[in-house]
Amino acid sequence: MTEAAELPPAPEHARGVFGDRFADAVRYAELLAEAGVQRGLIGPREVPRLWERHLLNCAVLSEVVPEGVTVCDVGSGAGLPGIPLALVREDLKITLLEPLLRRTTFLTEVVELLGLDHVTVVRGRAEEVMGTLSPVHVVTARAVAPLDRLAAWGIPLLRPYGEMLALKGDTAEEELKSAATALSKLGAVETSILHVGEGVVDPLSTVVRVEVGESPGGVRFAAKRAKAARTGRTRRRR
């Protein structure tokens, strides 16, 4: 049997990134390296690079998330980027959205253990929670799906004039070009590619930003949103 890879010590600059939550970040890394690997949430080969490739790579997303907003992390998996973002930004209200039970079980354990009172775990698919999940200012995602498919799931969860922030790799520019038509139909009004994490991660983290107008999801989802709003009002009156 191959021995489990050992989690390296946290890099010194991680203290500056996570601040008062540094000890919690260390505990989260340990949980990923132990229970995360045992439950198949993260590959054992990722353990030696958990800090640089995963925790810090995700934490620097905070550079482009506005203050005091609501966030939905779509397809949160083992909590990336949602949990690192929550550790560095207690001003945010974050929902970790994940369809698989074994993952939501892990996420709930982590949230409770680390005392992340501003984080909620919801089990479900993005297309299933419209109408039950309040629209958010920001949708985040990492390594979930190609951009056109990810946008079809994430953009309808946004409030008007919200934005989707997707952590992508070297294919970001190519994906953005390929998804242009789909994004337009979904109500996107502006797109850009950002590079964050200067002095923290090398290479820098690449973020695709998709900003929407007054109709997130476009015409296709307008009726669904109106129906969900009417249903919500009916329930409140009962």
Side-chain angles (χ1 to χ4, degrees):
M1 183 181 293
T2 306
E3 286 189 15
E6 187 174 341
L7 177 68
E12 191 56 37
H13 55 276
R15 293 180 179 274
V17 173
F18 290 102
D20 293 342
R21 285 284 195 171
F22 174 69
D24 290 326
V26 171
R27 186 67 189 116
Y28 176 51
E30 292 170 347
L31 289 166
L32 286 174
E34 297 161 6
V37 172
Q38 292 164 8
R39 301 185 195 182
L41 306 182
I42 194 164
R45 292 184 179 179
E46 296 302 312
V47 173
R49 50 186 184 177
L50 267 178
W51 282 102
E52 298 292 347
R53 187 180 174 91
H54 297 286
L55 272 76
L56 290 170
N57 178 271
C58 291
V60 296
L61 182 62
S62 65
E63 295 177 18
V64 291
V65 178
E67 289 187 15
V69 298
T70 52
V71 178
C72 181
D73 189 32
V74 173
S76 196
L80 301 164
I83 289 178
L85 183 61
L87 287 170
V88 299
R89 293 288 301 276
E90 295 191 49
D91 60 301
L92 305 175
K93 295 291 185 184
I94 299 177
T95 298
L96 306 180
L97 181 62
E98 169 55 48
L100 295 184
L101 177 60
R102 62 189 172 90
R103 293 176 179 169
T104 54
T105 298
F106 175 78
L107 292 173
T108 300
E109 291 170 1
V110 171
V111 167
E112 291 176 355
L113 182 65
L114 302 185
L116 298 174
D117 298 333
H118 57 306
V119 178
T120 302
V121 178
V122 173
R123 185 185 175 197
R125 299 183 184 279
E127 58 268 35
E128 297 169 347
V129 298
M130 182 185 294
T132 59
L133 188 69
S134 297
V136 297
H137 298 92
V138 177
V139 163
T140 59
R142 178 178 187 252
V144 173
L147 187 60
D148 55 348
R149 232 186 313 153
L150 173 61
W153 299 334
I155 286 180
L157 300 179
L158 289 170
R159 295 171 49 147
Y161 307 105
E163 60 184 342
M164 184 177 74
L165 300 172
L167 280 162
K168 288 287 183 179
D170 297 337
T171 63
E173 192 169 343
E174 181 183 331
E175 284 193 52
L176 191 52
K177 287 179 181 177
S178 299
T181 301
L183 292 174
S184 179
K185 289 179 179 178
L186 286 165
V189 295
E190 191 168 339
T191 61
S192 54
I193 295 177
L194 313 173
H195 299 284
V196 297
E198 183 72 44
V200 178
V201 290
D202 184 19
L204 299 179
S205 297
T206 301
V207 181
V208 175
R209 170 186 270 162
V210 179
E211 300 172 72
V212 300
E214 61 182 14
S215 299
V219 176
R220 178 184 170 193
F221 289 93
K224 286 187 178 182
R225 192 172 288 106
K227 182 179 178 182
R230 288 195 300 272
T231 302
R233 287 196 295 270
T234 301
R235 287 172 179 166
R236 284 194 293 272
R237 285 198 295 267
R238 286 176 181 172

Coordinates of all heavy atoms in Angstrom, one line a residue, residues 155 181-190 210-219:
I155 N -25.3 31.8 -13.4 CA -25.8 33.1 -13.6 C -27.3 33.3 -13.2 O -27.7 34.3 -12.6 CB -25.7 33.5 -15.1 CG1 -24.2 33.8 -15.4 CG2 -26.5 34.7 -15.5 CD1 -23.8 34.2 -16.8
T181 N -21.5 33.6 -27.0 CA -22.9 33.6 -27.4 C -23.8 33.2 -26.3 O -24.8 33.8 -26.0 CB -23.1 32.7 -28.7 OG1 -22.3 33.2 -29.7 CG2 -24.5 32.7 -29.1
A182 N -23.4 32.1 -25.6 CA -24.1 31.6 -24.5 C -24.3 32.6 -23.4 O -25.3 32.8 -22.8 CB -23.5 30.3 -24.0
L183 N -23.2 33.3 -23.1 CA -23.2 34.3 -22.0 C -24.1 35.5 -22.4 O -24.8 36.0 -21.5 CB -21.7 34.8 -21.8 CG -20.7 33.8 -21.2 CD1 -19.3 34.5 -21.2 CD2 -21.2 33.4 -19.8
S184 N -24.1 35.9 -23.6 CA -25.0 37.0 -24.0 C -26.5 36.6 -23.9 O -27.3 37.4 -23.4 CB -24.7 37.3 -25.5 OG -25.6 38.3 -26.0
K185 N -26.8 35.3 -24.2 CA -28.2 34.9 -24.0 C -28.6 34.8 -22.6 O -29.8 34.9 -22.2 CB -28.4 33.5 -24.7 CG -28.3 33.5 -26.2 CD -28.5 32.1 -26.8 CE -28.5 32.2 -28.3 NZ -28.6 30.8 -28.9
L186 N -27.6 34.6 -21.7 CA -27.8 34.5 -20.3 C -27.9 35.8 -19.6 O -28.0 35.9 -18.4 CB -26.8 33.6 -19.6 CG -26.9 32.1 -19.9 CD1 -25.6 31.4 -19.5 CD2 -28.1 31.5 -19.2
G187 N -27.8 36.9 -20.3 CA -27.9 38.2 -19.8 C -26.6 38.9 -19.4 O -26.6 39.9 -18.7
A188 N -25.4 38.3 -19.8 CA -24.1 38.9 -19.5 C -24.0 40.2 -20.3 O -24.3 40.3 -21.5 CB -23.0 38.0 -19.8
V189 N -23.5 41.3 -19.6 CA -23.3 42.5 -20.3 C -21.8 42.9 -20.4 O -21.4 43.7 -21.2 CB -24.0 43.7 -19.6 CG1 -25.5 43.4 -19.7 CG2 -23.6 43.8 -18.1
E190 N -21.0 42.3 -19.6 CA -19.5 42.5 -19.7 C -18.7 41.3 -19.1 O -19.2 40.7 -18.2 CB -19.2 43.8 -18.9 CG -17.8 44.3 -19.1 CD -17.5 45.7 -18.5 OE1 -18.5 46.4 -18.3 OE2 -16.3 46.0 -18.3
V210 N -17.8 37.6 -15.1 CA -19.0 37.8 -16.0 C -20.0 38.6 -15.2 O -20.6 38.2 -14.2 CB -19.6 36.4 -16.4 CG1 -20.8 36.7 -17.3 CG2 -18.6 35.5 -17.1
E211 N -20.2 39.8 -15.7 CA -21.2 40.7 -15.1 C -22.5 40.7 -15.8 O -22.5 40.7 -17.1 CB -20.6 42.1 -15.1 CG -19.3 42.2 -14.3 CD -18.6 43.6 -14.4 OE1 -19.2 44.6 -13.9 OE2 -17.6 43.7 -15.1
V212 N -23.6 40.7 -15.1 CA -24.9 40.6 -15.8 C -25.7 41.9 -15.6 O -25.3 42.8 -14.8 CB -25.8 39.5 -15.2 CG1 -25.1 38.1 -15.4 CG2 -26.1 39.7 -13.7
G213 N -26.7 42.1 -16.4 CA -27.6 43.3 -16.3 C -28.8 43.0 -15.4 O -28.7 42.3 -14.4
E214 N -29.9 43.6 -15.9 CA -31.1 43.5 -15.0 C -31.8 42.2 -15.1 O -32.7 41.9 -14.3 CB -32.1 44.6 -15.4 CG -32.6 44.6 -16.8 CD -33.5 45.8 -17.1 OE1 -33.5 46.7 -16.3 OE2 -34.2 45.7 -18.1
S215 N -31.4 41.3 -16.0 CA -32.1 40.0 -16.2 C -31.1 38.8 -16.2 O -30.8 38.3 -17.2 CB -32.9 40.0 -17.5 OG -33.9 41.0 -17.5
P216 N -30.6 38.5 -15.0 CA -29.7 37.3 -14.9 C -30.3 36.0 -15.4 O -31.4 35.7 -15.0 CB -29.4 37.2 -13.4 CG -29.8 38.5 -12.8 CD -30.9 39.0 -13.7
G217 N -29.7 35.4 -16.3 CA -30.2 34.2 -16.9 C -31.0 34.5 -18.2 O -31.3 33.6 -19.0
G218 N -31.2 35.8 -18.5 CA -31.8 36.1 -19.8 C -33.3 35.8 -19.8 O -33.9 35.5 -18.7
V219 N -33.9 35.9 -20.9 CA -35.4 35.7 -21.1 C -35.8 34.3 -20.6 O -36.9 34.2 -20.0 CB -35.7 35.9 -22.6 CG1 -37.2 35.6 -22.8 CG2 -35.4 37.3 -23.0

